[in-house]
Amino acid sequence: MTATATESPICEAQNVSVSFGGEQALLALKDVTLGINTGEVVAILGPSGCGKSTLLRALVGLLKPTSGNVLAHGRPLVGVHPGISIVFQNFALYPWLTVQENVKVGLNGIPLEPDAARQRVEQYVDLVGLHGFETAYPKELSGGMKQRVGIARALARGPELLCMDEPFSALDVFTAESLRSEIYRLWTGTGDRSVHLPSSLKSILMITHIIEEAVFLADRIVIMGTRPGHIRQIVKNTLQHPREYQDPEFQSMVQGLHDIIVSEHLPEMAAEQKAAADAGVPMVEPIPAAGIAEITGLLGIVNDHKGRMDAFALDSLTDYDFGHTLEVVKAGEMLGLLETPKNLVVVTDLGRRFLHADIPERKVILNAQLRRLGTFSMLIQALQEAPGHHLPTDVIQEELVVRLPSQDVERTFQTVLNWSRFAELFTYEGEAEGVGLIEAAAG
């Protein structure tokens, strides 16, 4: 689906600026020009506070700009754009309404006969995989199911532009990935051919701070800068479908966007990371919130089943919800103890060696594996350069916030401590003492 040369954008901002406050107004957006065309997915990408959501609200008429113009199909927009629906990050469901009733709210203002309205609600409840949960209330649903209700409600209106404001940020990483993949399959037509998005839907506009999400879904990626919010660069995504996260071209584009973003906010860090990449040092990446005991226990379960298990069968033998089971699997994979071909979880040779080792040898194995990870390499370097090889807790946490802005810093910090203390890499005796590098590692 592509726009013709003469077709006006569905919505368009022309030199839009937005200020909040009185005499000492905060300039949230400055001189932004952006159009959303028919037949494309546009991702607005940038760190917290850069005005991504403010721009979305201005584009669709929920917020009147301080200066500049907003157009809908080439004409000045008056009020809210009639052809949009929004999926919010916090679900925005009515707790006293059932799934069916929450989806039906999306039909408010649309003249439909009762039977037609009921059929449309059923259609989109089925589309998002909630058949059988029509009479459930939000308190009875998981976070992923709640967001499915929000998506069904937005689609039921039959919008021409679906706007998604950080739609997966309140979900665990694996639920988010599942929903992201479903949206991708529906939009690209690579999923179940009997399941379709509404025929009226022409484009998707998504707000995100996750680079991989933007590269996976978007045709154009709008990179925003801060203080005030402005467009730094618009990147056309030429990656072919289907897109795979592990594809070298995918990874290269992710790294390129990462460098663009970092170069504005942390120019010294950008140069440092480029030098590290040139030297073959791994990138800093999120650490799954899984303890060493959890990883070891799960490794033992798989090993007891001939070293190979289906992920769903494995989950049935754990006490975790499925999302956490996958998080523990991801942690084991990151440490080189597990592999995950397709839906399988497989113990590696190193994983078998780890299981059969005594505690001191396990510590040696884990110590070596942690040094291969970008996040731990970064912290080791920082501690090596610090007086006495110690840094205050808040300095370590600040490093994690800067390098991993989309992660829960407290969970990440606790996981780093869990792994590194077992591996005898770092010391930590409480917030007052801070984090130290064990001298054997420092040498």
Side-chain angles (χ1 to χ4, degrees):
M1 189 189 302
T2 56
T4 65
T6 59
E7 193 171 355
S8 298
I10 295 172
C11 57
E12 182 179 10
Q14 295 181 337
N15 306 111
V16 162
S17 296
V18 175
S19 297
F20 296 109
E23 292 182 1
Q24 297 183 339
L26 170 67
L27 185 59
L29 288 179
K30 181 180 180 182
D31 197 28
V32 172
T33 295
L34 177 67
I36 310 301
N37 301 311
T38 294
E40 65 174 352
V41 178
V42 176
I44 300 177
L45 175 67
S48 297
C50 70
K52 302 185 299 292
S53 295
T54 300
L55 175 55
L56 183 152
R57 282 158 173 73
L59 274 168
V60 302
L62 289 172
L63 177 68
K64 187 174 181 180
T66 307
S67 63
N69 300 304
V70 177
L71 308 180
H73 296 289
R75 297 184 176 183
L77 177 63
V78 178
V80 177
H81 195 300
I84 64 102
S85 286
I86 301 180
V87 178
F88 299 96
Q89 69 182 76
N90 62 354
F91 317 134
L93 303 182
Y94 296 102
W96 57 88
L97 299 181
T98 64
V99 165
Q100 206 167 33
E101 291 165 342
N102 266 289
V103 175
K104 190 177 179 181
V105 168
L107 303 181
N108 287 348
I110 299 176
L112 288 174
E113 294 294 328
D115 283 348
R118 177 181 53 77
Q119 289 175 7
R120 188 180 290 197
V121 169
E122 289 177 357
Q123 174 187 352
Y124 289 104
V125 168
D126 288 348
L127 176 72
V128 299
L130 288 178
H131 177 71
F133 292 90
E134 291 87 348
T135 59
Y137 288 90
K139 67 179 181 181
E140 301 171 297
L141 304 177
S142 67
M145 294 170 78
K146 290 175 184 176
Q147 193 57 293
R148 289 174 189 271
V149 178
I151 293 170
R153 180 178 58 195
L155 294 175
R157 282 195 70 81
E160 60 176 330
L161 176 63
L162 176 65
C163 301
M164 300 193 294
D165 189 358
E166 303 266 15
F168 313 120
S169 62
L171 307 174
D172 68 79
V173 64
F174 298 102
T175 302
E177 175 54 30
S178 175
L179 276 176
R180 191 180 299 120
S181 296
E182 287 185 40
I183 294 292
Y184 176 82
R185 287 194 296 269
L186 286 168
W187 177 257
T188 60
T190 56
D192 184 348
R193 297 290 178 168
S194 66
V195 178
H196 300 284
L197 292 169
S199 59
S200 60
L201 185 64
K202 295 182 175 66
S203 298
I204 296 175
L205 172 61
M206 179 180 64
I207 305 297
T208 184
H209 61 267
I210 301 173
I211 299 174
E212 290 84 355
E213 184 169 277
V215 174
F216 186 64
L217 289 171
D219 303 305
R220 281 197 298 150
I221 300 169
V222 180
I223 303 174
M224 291 193 66
T226 59
R227 302 192 186 102
H230 61 283
I231 293 177
R232 297 190 58 221
Q233 193 169 335
I234 299 178
V235 177
K236 185 176 180 180
N237 189 348
T238 59
L239 295 180
Q240 297 298 308
H241 297 289
R243 292 174 182 163
E244 298 290 344
Y245 288 98
Q246 301 308 317
D247 186 281
E249 291 185 4
F250 188 103
Q251 292 292 327
S252 176
M253 186 166 192
V254 168
Q255 182 60 50
L257 294 173
H258 179 272
D259 291 345
I260 292 170
I261 292 170
V262 167
S263 67
E264 178 186 46
H265 301 285
L266 295 161
E268 292 181 4
M269 190 178 98
E272 172 193 321
Q273 290 197 354
K274 184 179 186 305
D278 292 342
V281 177
M283 285 178 57
V284 173
E285 58 182 335
I287 304 297
I292 294 301
E294 292 176 320
I295 297 167
T296 304
L298 185 139
L299 196 62
I301 294 173
V302 180
N303 193 61
D304 289 343
H305 288 76
K306 300 182 179 180
R308 178 181 295 257
M309 288 189 73
D310 176 84
F312 296 97
L314 173 61
D315 179 62
S316 69
L317 298 180
T318 73
D319 294 328
Y320 315 136
D321 60 49
F322 186 58
H324 190 59
T325 297
L326 292 180
E327 202 161 20
V328 179
V329 169
K330 175 64 177 175
E333 184 177 32
M334 180 177 284
L335 293 170
L337 308 176
L338 293 168
E339 294 176 340
T340 56
K342 297 187 177 179
N343 289 330
L344 294 177
V345 180
V346 179
V347 179
T348 63
D349 290 342
L350 182 65
R352 281 188 287 274
R353 181 182 152 203
F354 182 86
L355 277 176
H356 295 141
D358 58 17
I359 295 299
E361 188 180 354
R362 286 184 179 183
K363 290 176 180 288
V364 171
I365 292 170
L366 188 62
N367 188 296
Q369 293 304 103
L370 293 186
R371 291 169 178 276
R372 298 173 183 269
L373 301 179
T375 300
F376 286 86
S377 295
M378 175 269 294
L379 293 175
I380 289 170
Q381 182 178 346
L383 288 165
Q384 284 176 333
E385 296 172 355
H389 303 311
H390 273 74
L391 283 172
T393 300
D394 58 353
V395 172
I396 294 290
Q397 291 183 333
E398 187 173 316
E399 283 288 331
L400 293 172
V401 168
V402 166
R403 311 289 179 131
L404 301 167
S406 65
Q407 301 303 301
D408 182 329
V409 67
E410 184 58 38
R411 290 184 77 198
T412 299
F413 180 67
Q414 292 302 324
T415 304
V416 165
L417 291 180
N418 177 272
W419 293 11
S420 59
R421 291 170 82 181
F422 180 87
E424 297 184 353
L425 184 60
F426 302 154
T427 62
Y428 184 73
E429 301 300 333
E431 189 166 344
E433 294 295 324
V435 178
L437 186 62
I438 291 178
E439 292 305 315

